[in-house]
Amino acid sequence: MPLQLILHLDLHGRSAAARARRATRAHIAAAAASGREPLPPLAMDTALLLISELVTNAVRHTGGGCLLEVRLTSDGIDIEVTDTSDAEPEPRRPDRRGEGGWGWHLVNRLGTDVGIRHHAAGGKTIGVRVPR
């Protein structure tokens, strides 16, 4: 049976971001163990940071959970986080005292092909690519 190169994860609660990072790390390691070219360390760290930011914001700002999809491609990693809110992320002025405001800036600065798709039934999917 071929290795599934797409990770789907339903996430809820305060530990959602940590669970997302662990599952993504394990998924990428399994792909590398099966002979797929490993993700360079910088791309891996960037992907884990962006996943953490997107999942944390989805759980914190939508009052519900989210669905994470991680797709390994030959030229990088595609990340999608789907939640139940129609509201788009709004950039805030980052707070240097640790009160937030960095996430959406990081997603747009470190990722490529950032996009938001709204769903007819409600909710949205935020997608971002991390190149190799």
Side-chain angles (χ1 to χ4, degrees):
M1 181 175 184
L3 177 70
Q4 174 71 323
L5 297 177
I6 300 175
L7 169 69
H8 294 278
L9 199 56
D10 194 13
L11 299 159
H12 299 273
R14 295 174 57 117
S15 64
R19 186 168 166 235
R21 288 189 305 272
R22 279 192 307 274
T24 300
R25 218 180 263 116
H27 180 69
I28 292 171
S34 73
R36 190 164 177 87
E37 183 180 351
L39 220 57
L42 181 58
M44 172 70 107
D45 290 346
T46 301
L48 293 174
L49 174 63
L50 298 186
I51 286 168
S52 189
E53 291 294 337
L54 290 170
V55 168
T56 296
N57 286 342
V59 171
R60 180 180 295 158
H61 297 295
T62 67
C66 64
L67 175 67
L68 169 67
E69 182 174 289
V70 175
R71 187 177 313 109
L72 299 175
T73 67
S74 59
D75 56 348
I77 183 170
D78 293 330
I79 302 160
E80 290 188 338
V81 175
T82 301
D83 63 46
T84 58
S85 173
D86 293 326
E88 293 194 10
E90 292 186 26
R92 296 185 323 175
R93 183 184 186 117
D95 186 322
R96 296 188 189 279
R97 295 171 299 183
E99 298 297 320
W102 296 95
W104 192 236
H105 296 288
L106 287 171
V107 169
N108 283 282
R109 181 70 177 218
L110 299 177
T112 63
D113 303 321
V114 177
I116 301 171
R117 289 188 327 271
H118 290 274
H119 305 287
K124 67 182 173 303
T125 298
I126 298 176
V128 62
R129 168 172 281 242
V130 176
R132 284 191 169 275

